[in-house]
Amino acid sequence: MDWYLREVIILNNIGKSYVTGSQKLQVLKGLTCNIKEGEMVAIMGSSGSGKSTLLNILGLLDSFDSGEYILSGESMAGLNERAAAKFRSKLLGFVFQSFNLIGFKTALENVALPLYYQSIPRKKRNIIALDYLKKVGLEDWASHLPNQMSGGQKQRVAIARALVAKPKVILADEPTGALDSVTSSDVMKLLREINADGITMIIVTHEHDIAALCDRTIHLVDGLIDLS
Amino acid sequence: MKKGSKINLFDLDRVLEILQVFLTNPFRTFLSGLGVGWGLFMIVVTVGASNGLENGVASEMGGRVKNSMFLWSRMTSMPYKGFKRGRRFEFNNSDTEFLRENATSIKLVAPRNQLGGHRGSNNVTRGTKSGAFNVYGDVPGYIEIDPVKILSGRYLNQGDIDNERKIAVIGKRVLELLYDNDIEPIGSSIQIQGVIFSVVGVYSTYKTGEDAEEDNQSIFIPYTTFGKSFHTNNEVGWYSLLMDENVHADTSAAEVMSLLKQRKSVHPDDKRAMGSWSMASEFEEVESLFAAFRLISFIFGGLALLAGAIGIMNIMLITVRERTKELGIRRAMGATPLTVMRQIMSETIFLTTLSGLIGVSFGVASLEGVNHLLESMGGSGGSFQNPEISLYTVLIALGVMLVMGVIAGILPAVRAIAIRPVEAIRTE
């Protein structure tokens, strides 16, 4: 059983297709891969290779049609929205290319949001959130709104938000896509530090130097993993 | 949601969350709330105004007891039992006894006689002063039918009747006209058509308006004394009757009429031989008019409210669309569909309730303002008095509004949960 537990993510023959009009588009064609706990993995692939779809499935933001997805020892097949929300809240953290902070909330409130949905009282929530803002070096920006911050700062707030609920896995969709190279390397350094604490990190990117900073890279080609 | 976490209606966190959303676009929030607020304002003001009108009319009636009736004899219009038509007949004291014994739906029989009257000649004097007043011969029970407020002394009592005392209870206006300011009326004497009466009480009417002046210029003396002093003897001018509240006014009127017709040998179908007037039928008419007023204000206010609720629903639908991304982020952060639904519903209900309460407050404030104005103009606003709205009515209106808020929230909430988190995040 030991080997099984160390695999935080097991994907077995995952299939996913979209129907647009009369056309059926097979995006994932039986994808299989495992990710171990504490790994930092890059997912690469040209646009249309299915990497965003894969990330959405991994993040329980989208369903899959066939195959098996085991996250932290539990099957994710046929989850309803409520159960998916529960798993997201318990196991997953998200970092997006466009940060996806809520514009009318301060940095602190944005970071505290996942805790709000775990029914943690406001005071406690804010203490925890401030702690994580400190971790990303932004405690002085707690009361600022997202539009008062730079791209790099926004992404660090988003990373703090992804971390705040102590997830097992962080899913990052092009986390440096909107950042300049200096900021990008800062953000990557931060993600690497977080990974060092034992949190599994999955980063979707199309930049080779970003992928090079990860433990290994999964190449997607046309809905399948390129093993070449 | 965690297991065991209860749903708390007044969760401060959720209220703050809602406020934050609304303050993001305060002007639009204000506009969307305006419709519902206006609807409730209209309900409060129109219901209040119709109540004011009702209060005004009720006050003009002066708290006259609702189940009272007046009955008098006229001229027969049909021949009966050998009598020709056109016969005059009078009621007398034995008829009074007969009514008291036989009319089951009558609680009180008050025979009355009157002297003087509207624009009559001067009939009452005191020293060098004199005036023309209504003088009534009454029984003590009459105060139950047409209540007056005793300002000093007392009203008529049974001893006055039994002993045929020459005493009088005078109206406020009589006092003003016959007495100098500093003179104590109780124990003084006045002359009514030359007969000396001792004043035992002063009263004022509860009525307002024209009736009040007339009423305050009256003098009550014992019924028996009246008969002796002014030679009406056995005759009864007319009857004031107090009817059993549990019997419909028309039914008791019919009973009394048929008893009296039989006794006075009047044809049972003769409708013109006796005249009657009952407060209850008057009241019923007025009351049905006001019920119609109220119904109209509720219908129109309700329609305004409905329009307001539809406005809120519309805004919420737009808001949900605009907030697709935000709602998607919330979903990604662990919000369940139920949480999102609850959020949109709470926002709608909160907005509806808040605007409703503001509308009610403005409505009540307007009514109070009008009240204040009426009072500062001298208290009596004629047939418009004390516009008011009962808490009960307000609660019903708020309840209806709450239901509308819930209904208005359903569609936007359903739209909101139909948003899948992945689509939400994709929207740029």
Side-chain angles (χ1 to χ4, degrees):
Chain A
M1 283 306 280
D2 205 31
W3 65 269
Y4 185 83
L5 277 178
R6 268 189 278 124
E7 308 287 340
V8 72
I9 285 170
I10 300 171
L11 292 177
N12 199 357
N13 208 19
I14 294 288
K16 172 74 180 174
S17 59
Y18 292 110
V19 178
T20 45
S22 57
Q23 296 238 301
K24 194 176 166 191
L25 187 67
Q26 190 78 29
V27 185
L28 297 180
K29 302 167 180 170
L31 191 144
T32 299
C33 80
N34 294 348
I35 293 167
K36 287 194 174 64
E37 214 169 315
E39 263 195 302
M40 184 153 171
V41 179
I43 297 176
M44 291 196 76
S46 56
S47 62
S49 61
K51 58 183 192 312
S52 288
T53 305
L54 176 60
L55 194 77
N56 288 339
I57 288 172
L58 285 174
L60 304 175
L61 298 172
D62 206 349
S63 60
F64 51 97
D65 302 334
S66 60
E68 196 180 23
Y69 171 20
I70 291 165
L71 173 62
S72 193
E74 288 185 78
S75 172
M76 299 290 124
L79 289 183
N80 62 27
E81 295 278 7
R82 183 155 175 257
K86 240 170 86 182
F87 281 119
R88 276 200 295 271
S89 164
K90 204 168 77 176
L91 298 172
L92 302 170
F94 293 89
V95 177
F96 303 95
Q97 175 175 7
S98 51
F99 323 126
N100 280 351
L101 299 174
I102 293 177
F104 56 80
K105 286 185 177 294
T106 64
L108 188 73
E109 286 167 339
N110 265 292
V111 174
L113 193 63
L115 301 177
Y116 172 71
Y117 289 117
Q118 289 183 2
S119 307
I120 291 171
R122 183 175 203 83
K123 244 187 189 157
K124 196 172 162 199
R125 211 160 71 207
N126 285 346
I127 292 168
I128 300 171
L130 192 63
D131 207 36
Y132 278 91
L133 270 181
K134 217 175 274 177
K135 262 184 197 163
V136 299
L138 287 175
E139 70 265 40
D140 295 338
W141 293 75
S143 57
H144 284 69
L145 292 173
N147 61 14
Q148 298 165 322
M149 304 170 103
S150 73
Q153 286 172 322
K154 280 191 233 180
Q155 196 59 299
R156 280 192 281 161
V157 171
I159 290 167
R161 182 179 64 180
L163 283 172
V164 78
K166 297 195 177 69
K168 280 210 146 125
V169 179
I170 284 185
L171 300 165
D173 187 6
E174 303 274 9
T176 58
L179 306 175
D180 61 64
S181 57
V182 180
T183 329
S184 288
S185 96
D186 283 351
V187 164
M188 282 312 290
K189 216 190 276 170
L190 182 60
L191 291 179
R192 194 79 243 196
E193 279 168 32
I194 292 159
N195 176 246
D197 292 340
I199 294 174
T200 311
M201 188 80 60
I202 299 172
I203 297 169
V204 170
T205 183
H206 64 272
E207 292 171 72
H208 285 282
D209 44 345
I210 296 294
L213 294 170
C214 298
D215 300 337
R216 67 177 165 115
T217 303
I218 295 171
H219 289 278
L220 275 188
V221 176
D222 207 15
L224 284 170
I225 292 174
D226 183 16
L227 299 169
S228 59
Chain B
M1 268 203 310
K2 274 188 305 184
K3 216 173 108 186
S5 75
K6 57 182 181 209
I7 291 175
N8 195 344
L9 255 180
F10 292 101
D11 188 337
L12 180 67
D13 253 9
R14 259 161 64 198
V15 172
L16 290 175
E17 193 72 26
I18 291 166
L19 281 180
Q20 194 171 41
V21 169
F22 284 142
L23 291 176
T24 312
N25 201 337
F27 184 62
R28 188 162 77 183
T29 305
F30 166 74
L31 280 186
S32 36
L34 196 63
V36 164
W38 180 248
L40 271 165
F41 176 80
M42 292 293 284
I43 289 183
V44 170
V45 168
T46 49
V47 169
S50 97
N51 279 344
L53 219 53
E54 195 170 352
N55 286 340
V57 171
S59 140
E60 282 191 333
M61 292 179 171
R64 205 182 316 207
V65 181
K66 257 202 257 181
N67 52 330
S68 60
M69 178 178 144
F70 307 99
L71 186 80
W72 59 95
S73 62
R74 294 203 296 215
M75 211 187 279
T76 61
S77 66
M78 293 165 88
Y80 191 58
K81 284 191 176 168
F83 291 112
K84 284 186 189 165
R85 66 190 289 266
R87 174 174 62 100
R88 285 188 179 280
F89 63 100
E90 306 287 345
F91 296 127
N92 57 43
N93 290 347
S94 68
D95 296 326
T96 308
E97 286 313 308
F98 170 78
L99 271 184
R100 281 179 180 149
E101 274 161 33
N102 294 295
T104 55
S105 62
I106 301 299
K107 278 170 38 180
L108 188 87
V109 180
R112 303 192 78 193
N113 275 312
Q114 187 188 1
L115 199 65
H118 198 50
R119 290 183 195 166
S121 59
N122 285 356
N123 54 2
V124 181
T125 57
R126 185 182 164 272
T128 53
K129 298 187 176 208
S130 66
F133 304 117
N134 304 314
V135 179
Y136 295 104
D138 269 312
V139 294
Y142 184 69
I143 198 168
E144 286 179 44
I145 297 173
D146 196 358
V148 291
K149 187 176 172 189
I150 301 296
L151 299 176
S152 66
R154 63 171 180 89
Y155 193 67
L156 306 173
N157 63 30
Q158 193 55 43
D160 300 332
I161 300 289
D162 294 344
N163 301 317
E164 298 172 9
R165 287 185 191 132
K166 286 186 175 153
I167 54 107
V169 180
I170 61 172
K172 199 173 87 180
R173 185 84 187 125
V174 178
L175 177 71
E176 285 165 11
L177 292 172
L178 292 186
Y179 289 80
D180 289 325
N181 273 342
D182 48 351
I183 292 181
E184 169 62 43
I186 308 295
S188 70
S189 54
I190 54 173
Q191 280 189 41
I192 303 171
Q193 290 198 347
V195 183
I196 296 171
F197 284 81
S198 171
V199 175
V200 297
V202 181
Y203 74 87
S204 80
T205 181
Y206 289 114
K207 291 171 202 164
T208 58
E210 276 176 47
D211 281 0
E213 202 174 318
E214 185 82 12
D215 267 33
N216 281 332
Q217 307 202 36
S218 300
I219 297 170
F220 296 118
I221 64 172
Y223 176 77
T224 46
T225 319
F226 190 103
K228 279 273 164 62
S229 306
F230 307 116
H231 314 296
T232 51
N233 298 319
N234 220 4
E235 263 172 33
V236 173
W238 73 95
Y239 285 115
S240 278
L241 305 169
L242 195 62
M243 301 176 292
D244 188 341
E245 298 93 337
N246 303 317
V247 181
H248 194 273
D250 295 344
T251 316
S252 6
E255 191 206 358
V256 175
M257 292 281 203
S258 87
L259 279 173
L260 286 174
K261 277 176 185 169
Q262 215 178 347
R263 188 172 164 82
K264 308 304 273 188
S265 300
V266 173
H267 193 286
D269 297 333
D270 194 337
K271 287 195 166 58
R272 288 164 61 186
M274 280 176 244
S276 77
W277 186 92
S278 98
M279 201 70 189
S281 40
E282 196 86 343
F283 245 82
E284 268 171 28
E285 224 166 87
V286 173
E287 257 171 18
S288 64
L289 188 68
F290 284 116
F293 271 180
R294 265 196 298 271
L295 188 68
I296 289 170
S297 26
F298 267 108
I299 289 174
F300 279 89
L303 287 176
L305 208 58
L306 186 68
I310 291 172
I312 285 190
M313 180 173 79
N314 226 345
I315 291 285
M316 287 307 290
L317 281 173
I318 295 169
T319 312
V320 163
R321 169 140 305 175
E322 273 184 8
R323 286 163 65 196
T324 300
K325 185 168 180 174
E326 178 211 321
L327 294 173
I329 296 168
R330 286 176 188 273
R331 290 292 299 277
M333 297 303 133
T336 60
L338 184 73
T339 324
V340 171
M341 182 156 185
R342 210 173 52 187
Q343 185 182 347
I344 302 297
M345 288 295 285
S346 318
E347 283 176 18
T348 316
I349 294 168
F350 186 87
L351 183 57
T352 319
T353 311
L354 188 71
S355 2
L357 286 176
I358 291 172
V360 167
S361 311
F362 271 100
V364 171
S366 310
L367 292 183
E368 282 302 310
V370 170
N371 248 338
H372 203 73
L373 211 69
L374 284 180
E375 262 166 40
S376 69
M377 276 170 16
S380 153
S383 45
F384 190 81
Q385 277 192 7
N386 192 22
E388 62 187 356
I389 184 161
S390 68
L391 185 66
Y392 179 68
T393 314
V394 170
L395 288 179
I396 286 181
L398 284 175
V400 169
M401 184 206 64
L402 203 64
V403 171
M404 283 185 174
V406 171
I407 294 170
I410 289 174
L411 198 57
V414 166
R415 281 274 175 85
I417 59 169
I419 297 170
R420 288 165 62 228
V422 57
E423 285 169 28
I425 288 164
R426 208 179 277 154
T427 315
E428 291 297 322

